[in-house]
Amino acid sequence: MLELSARDRRRRVTNVIAIGALCVLGFLAITPLFFIFSYLILRGWGGLSLDFFLEIPKPVGEEGGGMANAISGSLVLLSLTAAFGVPIGMLCGIALSELKNSFTARVLRVAVDLLTSVPSIVIGLFAYAVIVVPMKGYSAWAGGFALSIVTVPIVARSTEEILKLVPRTVHEAGLALGIPRYKVLLRLILPGVRSGILTGVLLAMARVSGETAPLLFTAFSNSFGFRGLSSPTASLPVQIYTYATSHDETWRQLAWTGALVLVFVVFCLNLLTRFLVRKS
Amino acid sequence: MALDVSPEFNQKTGMGNLDGQNLEVEQKQIALETQKLSAWFGDHHVVKEISLSVEKNDVFALIGPSGCGKSTFIRCLNRLHEEGEGARVSGDVLIQGIGKSGGRENIYRSGVDPVSVRRRIGMVFQKPNPFPGLSIFENVASGLRLAQVVRRSVLEEVVETSLKQAALWDEVKDKLKKPGTSLSGGQQQRLCIARALAVRPQILLMDEPTSALDPISTARIEELVMKLRGEVTVMIVTHNMQQAARISSQTAFFLMGELVEVGPTNRIFTKPKESKTEQYITGRFG
């Protein structure tokens, strides 16, 4: 038998205390998530019905109504972001990884990092100045533009990181076969990292689907549903913000349910990215 | 030019698949000649004014201790060195021209597109590097498909011949659709050789192709190289002196970026002219 010395015993006690402390802290970190989820389900579940997805809001005082306008609006805004912000971000990421450490790449990388840290309300103001003012009105264009600016740096950096993981030797193998550089990239490198890039894109979409500030004075809101890209367009976060601060009970219920739906969508996007990461 | 046709050389090649009689009437052609080829990484002069020539359809080995510039040298021969950051090359590399004229062409002449050079000079790397996400078939076909215009029927034929040449066909013929990365390391390297051969290069450069492989896979690659003699010019960089002795008919010894000695493999390993070569092959340094 090996006897435990006093020092060994002290070490064991310290170990137990440290592990205990880590467990408590870990638990504390996920508590808010647990409360948010349970509270949203508690308050929002009751308002969940087919009407919520299909009906537009009723005027103050009337019962019923839904958030069809905000849901369709959010889809429109996210589509615009996917159509403009995502490809620009991807091209930017590809440029960063191809130009490696050249002067241009270093400048671009700093610019992208700065853009990531610009508060989203400022991006909203910028979109207001360059789109809303000249177009003389709020529009889906302006909202999509603002969300695209939020997306570009996220997608750019994730694309760059993924491309960096491709070994240099794969590039060289392609070049050594006499394949032009652009084809090496488009036909040999990119197909291999498709799911990785898609993961970054989905995370970016999850992030912007909850953005409120850039939309407040760009896409603004409406209560009728989608009326074209040049008209004010509702979105879930803005609608939630408006209704949650209103005095109407029905509207506040809609806000709770809207929040539940939004969180659920973001949660699903995150799960999907997990799944993609595991697959690749 | 170090075209050595000493009696020993005749004897050496006589043991291979060329019989001595033929050799005397056949004029040996030069597949590649470097003239004062130098290469730099930034300010670091890694390859210093190398001039040597390689016979057509022969196996030419480059030996020397790590960091002696042999890999960089070979990467200059398909203009891959210049792709690195801060990389620079000077000097000339002449290869046999194609077409009727048959004259020699300088791959570093201004106006020459590196892409067209690389279509004629293939390369196999130290670590097997199949394209991720591509099937075995697509890996072999990639060079033809992406660098040239080829019909599907031709493609299938070329993939089969190339895989047979690389002694991999029997192992993969039933799973051509499987990803190239699903193969073992040795198989992957043979896949890379098949991929390089599929574009029918005049010259095949091999940069320590067996250093990441086990002895059995190494033996298979060596067999393969010996079989390729007579069909394609092979230049192989190796750390392994026995390997150079086994498979090459000419050997060049590099040290600190300089060419110390070049000649028939037999002579380099038995009667080296330079004392540095002797010290290296007898294991006194390196």
Side-chain angles (χ1 to χ4, degrees):
Chain A
M1 277 290 281
L2 290 166
E3 291 297 320
L4 284 180
S5 68
R7 210 170 129 199
D8 284 335
R9 263 195 295 275
R10 211 166 44 240
R11 186 164 48 77
R12 289 192 167 194
V13 171
T14 320
N15 187 37
V16 167
I17 293 172
I19 287 178
L22 286 175
C23 287
V24 170
L25 289 174
F27 185 73
L28 277 179
I30 58 160
T31 313
L33 184 70
F34 173 75
F35 277 115
I36 289 172
F37 271 21
S38 43
Y39 206 59
L40 278 179
I41 291 170
L42 205 68
R43 297 294 295 266
W45 189 265
L48 216 52
S49 65
L50 207 55
D51 279 357
F52 177 83
F53 295 97
L54 299 177
E55 295 274 317
I56 59 167
K58 296 261 169 72
V60 185
E62 278 184 50
E63 286 291 306
M67 277 194 169
N69 60 329
I71 292 167
S72 63
S74 266
L75 286 178
V76 168
L77 291 171
L78 288 179
S79 307
L80 284 175
T81 311
F84 298 102
V86 168
I88 293 173
M90 273 162 63
L91 288 176
C92 185
I94 291 169
L96 283 175
S97 93
E98 280 294 300
L99 298 172
K100 280 169 267 166
N101 273 324
S102 63
F103 181 72
T104 332
R106 287 206 301 270
V107 171
L108 193 58
R109 205 165 283 131
V110 171
V112 164
D113 285 347
L114 281 176
L115 194 54
T116 319
S117 51
V118 171
S120 53
I121 189 85
V122 176
I123 291 172
L125 268 176
F126 174 68
Y128 180 83
V130 300
I131 310 271
V132 176
V133 173
M135 280 180 76
K136 297 195 172 61
Y138 302 116
S139 63
W141 287 120
F145 177 75
L147 290 185
S148 291
I149 295 179
V150 177
T151 320
V152 165
I154 309 174
V155 172
R157 283 319 285 265
S158 68
T159 305
E160 189 200 356
E161 292 303 319
I162 293 290
L163 284 173
K164 264 204 239 157
L165 296 179
V166 178
R168 188 67 211 148
T169 55
V170 176
H171 278 265
E172 287 184 341
L175 292 176
L177 283 170
I179 302 171
R181 197 165 158 190
Y182 77 95
K183 273 194 191 169
V184 170
L185 185 70
L186 290 179
R187 304 282 300 275
L188 298 174
I189 307 289
L190 287 178
V193 294
R194 225 173 346 198
S195 62
I197 291 180
L198 189 61
T199 306
V201 169
L202 283 177
L203 278 178
M205 294 308 267
R207 154 87 197 277
V208 294
S209 59
E211 281 287 348
T212 320
L215 298 175
L216 280 175
F217 30 76
T218 53
F220 193 57
S221 189
N222 78 35
S223 312
F224 328 107
F226 184 55
R227 290 280 169 91
L229 291 172
S230 303
S231 313
T233 305
S235 60
L236 271 173
V238 173
Q239 193 88 343
I240 291 167
Y241 167 73
T242 320
Y243 283 10
T245 50
S246 77
H247 295 286
D248 185 78
E249 194 48 51
T250 321
W251 278 13
R252 286 217 294 270
Q253 178 57 53
L254 282 178
W256 278 113
T257 311
L260 176 65
V261 169
L262 182 59
V263 165
F264 182 73
V265 168
V266 172
F267 182 67
C268 286
L269 279 175
N270 275 303
L271 276 188
L272 188 62
T273 56
R274 293 259 147 182
F275 173 74
L276 281 174
V277 168
R278 197 160 301 167
K279 222 181 76 182
S280 61
Chain B
M1 276 217 299
L3 182 58
D4 198 330
V5 277
S6 61
E8 294 151 354
F9 176 54
N10 278 345
Q11 214 178 6
K12 162 89 179 130
T13 46
M15 293 189 292
N17 50 9
L18 288 171
D19 58 321
Q21 274 185 324
N22 268 350
L23 196 74
E24 268 155 28
V25 283
E26 197 180 54
Q27 178 75 44
K28 273 282 184 181
Q29 287 177 298
I30 300 299
L32 177 142
E33 182 180 348
T34 67
Q35 294 173 345
K36 297 200 163 182
L37 188 69
S38 284
W40 289 262
F41 277 115
D43 296 330
H44 189 38
H45 195 173
V46 275
V47 171
K48 295 168 187 165
E49 301 202 333
I50 306 287
S51 301
L52 55 76
S53 59
V54 179
E55 283 167 13
K56 193 179 176 183
N57 296 346
D58 208 359
V59 178
F60 188 102
L62 295 107
I63 60 169
S66 319
C68 68
K70 55 195 189 311
S71 281
T72 308
F73 172 74
I74 205 174
R75 289 164 63 89
C76 291
L77 305 182
N78 65 346
R79 297 196 59 174
L80 201 57
H81 174 66
E82 63 205 71
E83 294 290 330
E85 270 175 72
R88 197 156 58 82
V89 181
S90 82
D92 295 317
V93 176
L94 305 171
I95 60 169
Q96 272 192 320
I98 34 175
K100 291 223 172 72
S101 68
R104 296 203 291 170
E105 293 172 275
N106 182 0
I107 65 169
Y108 280 103
R109 185 170 51 84
S110 66
V112 169
D113 181 8
V115 168
S116 64
V117 170
R118 294 177 197 137
R119 282 178 196 173
R120 288 160 59 184
I121 306 181
M123 188 164 212
V124 175
F125 297 80
Q126 190 169 357
K127 271 172 85 180
N129 52 1
F131 297 123
L134 294 195
S135 70
I136 293 170
F137 182 93
E138 289 167 329
N139 257 289
V140 181
S142 55
L144 286 177
R145 210 179 249 172
L146 300 178
Q148 295 159 26
V149 185
V150 181
R151 269 181 294 128
R152 174 88 200 171
S153 54
V154 180
L155 212 56
E156 279 176 12
E157 202 183 299
V158 172
V159 168
E160 183 175 337
T161 356
S162 310
L163 282 169
K164 278 180 177 161
Q165 260 188 310
L168 189 60
W169 176 251
D170 291 331
E171 289 157 67
V172 300
K173 64 181 176 209
D174 300 322
K175 48 177 182 179
L176 292 172
K177 295 241 166 66
K178 289 259 178 70
T181 42
S182 67
L183 298 172
S184 74
Q187 288 175 323
Q188 285 189 15
Q189 192 62 301
R190 277 179 282 148
L191 178 67
C192 293
I193 294 175
R195 179 176 70 187
L197 289 173
V199 292
R200 300 275 158 261
Q202 294 169 242
I203 301 169
L204 184 63
L205 309 172
M206 303 178 106
D207 187 1
E208 294 188 35
T210 60
S211 63
L213 304 180
D214 63 82
I216 293 172
S217 303
T218 300
R220 299 202 66 159
I221 306 260
E222 285 184 11
E223 259 170 55
L224 185 62
V225 172
M226 287 191 269
K227 252 197 278 174
L228 288 175
R229 171 180 314 197
E231 292 173 45
V232 58
T233 310
V234 176
M235 289 184 77
I236 181 167
V237 168
T238 177
H239 256 320
N240 181 332
M241 281 180 279
Q242 287 77 24
Q243 183 170 69
R246 279 193 296 266
I247 64 178
S248 71
S249 47
Q250 296 275 313
T251 296
F253 172 57
F254 278 57
L255 188 64
M256 316 265 282
E258 283 172 30
L259 176 65
V260 175
E261 190 169 356
V262 59
T265 303
N266 238 0
R267 207 213 68 219
I268 294 278
F269 283 102
T270 51
K271 281 174 253 157
K273 287 179 187 152
E274 301 289 328
S275 61
K276 279 177 187 161
T277 315
E278 193 183 348
Q279 283 172 5
Y280 181 68
I281 60 172
T282 51
R284 262 173 274 171
F285 73 93

